[in-house]
Amino acid sequence: MTVAGSEPSASVPGELHFGSFRLVGPHGPLFADGRAVELPRKPLALLWMLARRAGEVVSKDEILTEVWPQVVVSEGVVSATLRDLRRALGDDARVPRYIVTAHRIGYRFIAAVTDQPGNVERRAPAEALELRPPEPPAVHVLVGRAAEHAQLLACYRAAAAGQRQLVFVTGEAGIGKTRLVESFLAHIEGDAPAGARIGHGQCIEHYGAGEPYLPILEAVTRLGRQDGHGSLLALLRQHAPTWVPQLPGLFGQQPQQATPHAAGSLQRMLREMNDAIDLAAADQLLVLVLEDMHWSDRSTVDWLTMLAHRRERARLLVIATCRPVELIVNEHPLKQVKQELVARHAASEIALARLGTADVHDYVARRLRQHGAVPDLAAAVTRRSQGLPLFMVHLTDELERQPDTVSTLDRRPPPGGIAELIESQLARLAPQQRETLEAASVAGAEFATDSVAAALQRSPDAVEQVLETLARQGQFIEARGLVSWHDGTVCGRYGFSHDLVREGLYRRLGSARRARLHGAIGTRLALAYGVHATDIAAELALHFESAHDSWRGAQHRREAGGKALQRYAHREALTHAGQGLALLAAMPSATPGLEEAELQLRLIKGAAQLAVCGFGAPEVEATYTRALALGIALQDTAAIGPALSGLYNLYLTRAAFAQVQRIADQVMAQLRRQPDPVLTMLAHNVLGSTKLFVGGGAAALEHVDKTLALYQPAAHGHLAASYGEDPAIASHHYAALARWVVGDAEAAEHHLVAGFTLARRLLHPFGDAQMLWVEAVIALDDGDLGRVDRATETLDALCAEHGFALWQAGGWILRGAALAGRGQHEEGRQMTDAGLRAWHEAGTLLTLPHALAVAARVQVLAGRVEAAARLLGEALALAQRTGEHWYGPELHRLQGEVSLLQPEAGAKDAAESTARAAASFERAIVQAQAQRSRLFELRATVSLANLALPAAQAARARNRLAVLVADLGERTQRRDLAQAAALLRRAPQLSRQTTAEITPRS
């Protein structure tokens, strides 16, 4: 405390000058224009710290460490001390001259500071001079507390009307009690009509007996310093004389008096202070804030009890914050007092719960809106903070500094403020409780009593007693019922109240102890589950990996990966298989069973890669090549089939038909050695798909029929998981396209329906994607743009959810064409181009000629005929190079149509242009006839018959067209038949149709 008096004439070492103030040393005194300014030691120490580091941002953590060493106080103490300091300096937080708030970080002293009056400034760095213009007040974001804020305001209004109010604001550490109260105080400080005086008292954690009445003394001292007229000091002298010696900050040092030990003397002190408070609140609203009352002394609780039981009217509002858990654990007398006061309506309680998802999203959006991708940032903070406001603020601070690290937020240690809070709470536990929680942190976010007992090698009953006590007190964990294991064990199940608490405990463990605990828990769980260990395979894998038991870790990774495949969780399966293979790679090559284990993991990895990476990805080839070599070496017939299937899909996607044929030869050789219905279905799919794409759609149908005849859903439905695709769904996929090409629209629709039905029966999303893509291809070819939209929108959502990049890109190509067909030319072109780029990057060549033709049509619709011609030329060259000819007739036909739109330079007349187009149409017809692609033959013949041909040639075209129409009947597409029939009904002399007639098709 500084004592009023005159300023010494000479400056002394260790003094600072700023404005009209002179601060002598870290504990004062402080002088203003030669007169002493009364301030307690803590505000003086804080002022010294800030002024000595003028221009720097001093964090709240640094302030707490230096100004309040070896005691635990909340940030609210810092805020209250700053308020006193600013009041003494005549500073305004909204337009500061001395101290500005670095929001959520700390404080900065912005005035120039010197060693002596007139000296050159050397305390403030140069950049501090730029800070002199006042900063705008920080925007304090308070979310999710509107109802609680309203409750405090209602109590405030009741107190202003003369009804004394006592409010307990309760909740766990970090729940935002101080923040709520500060927001409320900031709100009412501008309430001029009420004119409230505010006194703030703070309880401090003591390891032993604390100072009696500490928060009351602090609050009254603050009120006295605000009392410009001295009325409160007069009230205290008259009505609370026993308190005057206890308040040297207001009255100076008083002669020592005997400490009142008798009950009567204690009651007198309580009564005197309550009388003084009531009188002070008789004509002016008085607000007392008592922070962290769970650390209060018994005397303060007695005073509060007496104050609450008074019935006289008083314009008084008392707000007491506390943590219920601390009251329970420490058997604090306030626990019983609070319950009784609330039950008798002598007090009210505002219990703060954790914030909801919407509240956290709102907070993050307000704080990080300028960084973009707010939904991703908000989701990460929500997941990590679990609604605890303190954690939410710290995590958002971290993302504000490094927004690009959102993807690693879950894996990073807790920010400093959070870690310190957790550590301080753990330090108050008994050693046995701490050890039990550390072992529980190894068991997981949720854990069973027997797992912890196995880790500690203690009896389950002893561990249960410790856990039950902690849960009952609300310390770190909560009871979550019972858990039953397959060996008949039934024990208690518990869960940590927050993930960051568990992580804090886990990080305390040394690596050797952590490994031992993991091993013990994993062994106990494996024993408990026995043959059902697959149910918790991922959990077991984690325990054994952490215990450095690579063999058992790899075995359980295989089980977890297989289970993930069965659920079509391909990305998870890929992760499990990759981690299992990494474990095996670190083991000695002579380990028994090593190759068998590697083979199983490779097959899981390959099936997952087909879905996630695409059929043509290089990693698929590496995985299945190694799996095939292992299968042959181990003579494992069950593994050879999936390996061959994976390689077949890889080479087919690359349109490498020679390599596909070699796979077919290997399958047939394997069948000769050992007949097998599954391999037989694979052989028919290999042969059938190859024939379809090289231009034999009709020939492919024979193999499709044989596959579907062999397939039984009950016996073969599991193949989708191990092979990456279901053989029957794949057959329906190919058959729908083949039937469409040969001109049988009804049969194509039948295969679409059957494929979708089976995919949904098996809950096979990859099969759904296969069928959606071929449905969109057919719908676009038929000009049904609405169906294209529905199919591609569903496909896009499915692929985004499951990571099917190949099918998603294919959907973009088709969706772009549909958009262009509606006149959205540029948007359609961009989407189609994006799909083509993705296919090129993935090395996908199969059906790429078709995709280039789709892109050409988009260009025609946009009026870019030259670009369309280039794309068609590229498609024809690619088809020639790879041997993929199924769409060749349409490529030739479209090339003829485009040539009519832009005759080559130097053409003598329209006859030459017509001749070139006729040649393209004739090539299309010849190729379609060779492939028995009746639909494409029909279209090419219509295009040819539409030309202004010589009479004989025109007659031949119409005759050929009449035969096709009669042959196809109602089985083919109605649009194509209608166009052909209309042409036949017209006069022999035909003129070219408009280009619009060629553009709707794919």
Side-chain angles (χ1 to χ4, degrees), residues 871-915:
L871 287 168
L872 289 170
E874 182 183 343
L876 283 164
L878 179 61
Q880 187 63 34
R881 187 172 77 248
T882 62
E884 182 187 338
H885 297 301
W886 72 279
Y887 204 63
E890 272 292 86
L891 294 176
H892 286 296
R893 185 184 73 83
L894 292 171
Q895 189 178 51
E897 298 284 3
V898 169
S899 71
L900 289 169
L901 298 176
Q902 188 181 43
E904 292 182 6
K908 294 179 179 179
D909 50 34
E912 186 175 338
S913 175
T914 300

Side-chain angles (χ1 to χ4, degrees), residues 639-835:
I640 291 174
L644 288 170
S645 176
L647 290 171
Y648 144 67
N649 276 309
L650 168 83
Y651 297 133
L652 183 66
T653 302
R654 294 179 179 176
F657 296 111
Q659 290 169 297
V660 172
Q661 185 58 51
R662 284 198 290 272
I663 295 297
D665 294 340
Q666 287 180 276
V667 174
M668 299 307 293
Q670 186 66 31
L671 280 171
R672 285 192 292 271
R673 285 190 293 271
Q674 183 177 352
D676 179 80
V678 174
L679 277 180
T680 302
M681 286 190 289
L682 173 61
H684 285 302
N685 270 349
V686 173
L687 295 170
S689 60
T690 303
K691 288 184 177 181
L692 166 64
F693 290 114
V694 298
L701 295 172
E702 173 189 356
H703 294 286
V704 166
D705 292 340
K706 289 181 178 179
T707 296
L708 295 176
L710 287 170
Y711 183 86
Q712 297 294 325
H716 303 127
H718 68 282
L719 295 175
S722 56
Y723 277 68
E725 67 175 0
D726 180 83
I729 296 174
S731 290
H732 287 303
H733 168 85
Y734 298 131
L737 191 58
R739 290 290 183 186
W740 181 262
V741 168
V742 301
D744 194 343
E746 291 180 359
E749 187 66 28
H750 162 77
H751 283 291
L752 286 175
V753 172
F756 279 124
T757 301
L758 182 57
R760 287 155 193 179
R761 174 180 174 181
L762 298 177
L763 301 176
H764 186 24
F766 189 80
D768 239 342
Q770 288 176 298
M771 299 310 302
L772 284 165
W773 178 82
V774 77
E775 179 187 25
V777 167
I778 292 172
L780 186 62
D781 198 65
D782 193 31
D784 189 345
L785 301 185
R787 190 172 185 181
V788 176
D789 288 341
R790 292 189 296 274
T792 54
E793 286 171 6
T794 305
L795 178 62
D796 192 59
L798 185 72
C799 292
E801 179 182 356
H802 295 281
F804 303 151
L806 176 67
W807 296 120
Q808 187 172 40
W812 292 343
I813 294 169
L814 302 170
R815 172 74 170 152
L819 290 171
R822 289 199 179 85
Q824 297 171 260
H825 301 146
E826 184 58 26
E827 186 178 354
R829 185 189 63 79
Q830 290 178 2
M831 183 167 285
T832 298
D833 287 350

Side-chain angles (χ1 to χ4, degrees), residues 391 394-395 398 401 413-420 500:
F391 293 1
H394 278 283
L395 292 166
E398 193 157 321
R401 291 190 292 270
I418 297 176
E420 290 168 8
L500 289 173

